[in-house]
Amino acid sequence: MIDLTERLARIREQIESACRTSGRPLDSVKLMAVTKAHPAEAAIAGYRAGLRLFGENRIQEFTAKKPLLSELSGARWHFIGHLQTNKAERAMELFDGIDVVDSLRLAELLNSLAEEKDRVLSVLLEVNVGGETQKPGFVPISRDFEALLRAAERLDHLEIRGLMIVPPYRPIAESGRPFFRMLRELRDDIARRGLPRVSMDELSMGMSHDFAIAVQEGSTCVRIGTAIFGERPKPVREFTA
Ligand SMILES: *Cc1c(COP(=O)(O)O)cnc(C)c1O
């Protein structure tokens, strides 16, 4: 078995090589380790290997894990799953950032919760550039998206830092490129408008199978699970159903 340190070194090499290909600074991409469905020990091993930014996608799962991770000082945890409004408060308590704001309603709710707690919450807007139905995320140039961008000015307990995307899954990494490019162009368009309280520094895109392509297209944060920790254990319910 190849160990974690070695896998991480390979991933970092691929990120750097993609940075070189596209003329970007080698340190312009953050690596988020996606620990969902893996036990707390996986995150601890990752932390020991130098990882500091982690992604999780289930409130219940992370509620159970978090007490086991209290010694990982300096680690930051972001929520990257679909967030139901009735779990927003819990998510805010558990996480340092919410990377998947996909409706004005959720943004408003998070803003008022953050205000109550007197903090500023860092968020990314999830965009559905594939225009897939039944998938969360703002459709670019839609009324909802425009409404949110305009509302940002008054959502003063949110820091809208950028965009996030999970493109339609295709086994061939290269097929993600048009979606990554669209997201980058969308980010540039929004940034040019200079909207109040909207910074577009972050482009969260690229997963285990396509992160190199995403970096070539401008990703500033790749979210990687399988390539670091191996295949996710199957959820228990799949065996009991
Ligand atoms: C699971 C997940 C990832 C990581 O996927 P891998 O293919 O295991 O790297 C990244 N982003 C999101 C939103 C996820 O849910």
Side-chain angles (χ1 to χ4, degrees), residues 34 36 57 80 164 166 207-209 223-227 232:
V34 180
K36 68 180 188 200
N57 73 338
I80 60 167
M164 179 275 204
V166 181
M207 300 167 43
S208 288
H209 72 294
R223 308 177 308 264
I224 302 185
T226 313
R232 281 179 281 279

Side-chain angles (χ1 to χ4, degrees), residues 5 15 22-23 30 34 66 75 86 91 94 97 106 128 130-131 134 136 142 157 193-194 200 206 228 233:
T5 316
I15 292 173
S22 48
K30 287 186 291 247
V34 180
K66 197 176 180 184
N86 64 354
L94 286 169
L106 178 60
N128 177 355
Q134 299 183 344
S142 63
H157 288 262
R193 290 163 61 181
M200 281 285 130
I228 301 175

Side-chain angles (χ1 to χ4, degrees), residues 27-47:
D27 60 356
S28 55
V29 183
K30 287 186 291 247
L31 173 55
M32 174 185 282
V34 180
T35 45
K36 68 180 188 200
H38 289 287
E41 291 74 45
I44 294 169
Y47 182 90

Side-chain angles (χ1 to χ4, degrees), residues 9 15 22 30 34 40 63 90 108 155 188-189 205:
I15 292 173
S22 48
K30 287 186 291 247
V34 180
T63 299
R90 187 76 190 114
E108 283 175 335
L155 300 176
D188 293 346
D189 287 345
M205 56 190 200

Side-chain angles (χ1 to χ4, degrees), residues 39-58:
E41 291 74 45
I44 294 169
Y47 182 90
R48 293 205 178 115
L51 294 166
R52 290 297 178 269
L53 178 63
F54 296 89
E56 284 274 339
N57 73 338
R58 285 183 200 283

Side-chain angles (χ1 to χ4, degrees), residues 77-181:
W77 299 88
H78 282 229
F79 186 72
I80 60 167
H82 177 61
L83 185 56
Q84 294 161 276
T85 44
N86 64 354
K87 295 193 175 152
E89 182 160 18
R90 187 76 190 114
M92 254 204 62
E93 288 162 7
L94 286 169
F95 291 95
D96 301 299
I98 309 280
D99 290 1
V100 284
V101 171
D102 58 6
S103 70
L104 178 55
R105 183 160 157 252
L106 178 60
E108 283 175 335
L109 178 60
L110 290 169
N111 184 67
S112 59
L113 292 168
E115 185 170 9
E116 275 167 32
K117 296 185 165 63
D118 200 20
R119 65 180 269 210
V120 173
L121 183 69
S122 158
V123 300
L124 300 185
L125 305 180
E126 182 169 5
V127 176
N128 177 355
V129 284
E132 295 163 282
T133 50
Q134 299 183 344
K135 192 164 169 177
F138 291 101
V139 175
I141 334 185
S142 63
R143 261 188 22 223
D144 288 352
F145 196 38
E146 280 304 311
L148 178 97
L149 291 172
R150 269 183 271 111
E153 183 168 12
R154 62 181 165 80
L155 300 176
D156 55 3
H157 288 262
L158 293 188
E159 190 189 336
I160 298 177
R161 288 177 26 254
L163 306 176
M164 179 275 204
I165 188 199
V166 181
Y169 180 78
R170 304 274 187 317
I172 297 168
E174 190 60 41
S175 44
R177 191 184 295 279
F179 299 106
F180 298 142
R181 192 169 290 167

Side-chain angles (χ1 to χ4, degrees), residues 62-79:
F62 192 59
T63 299
K65 275 191 221 174
K66 197 176 180 184
L68 308 170
L69 303 166
S70 59
E71 280 168 27
L72 310 188
S73 73
R76 293 181 56 79
W77 299 88
H78 282 229
F79 186 72

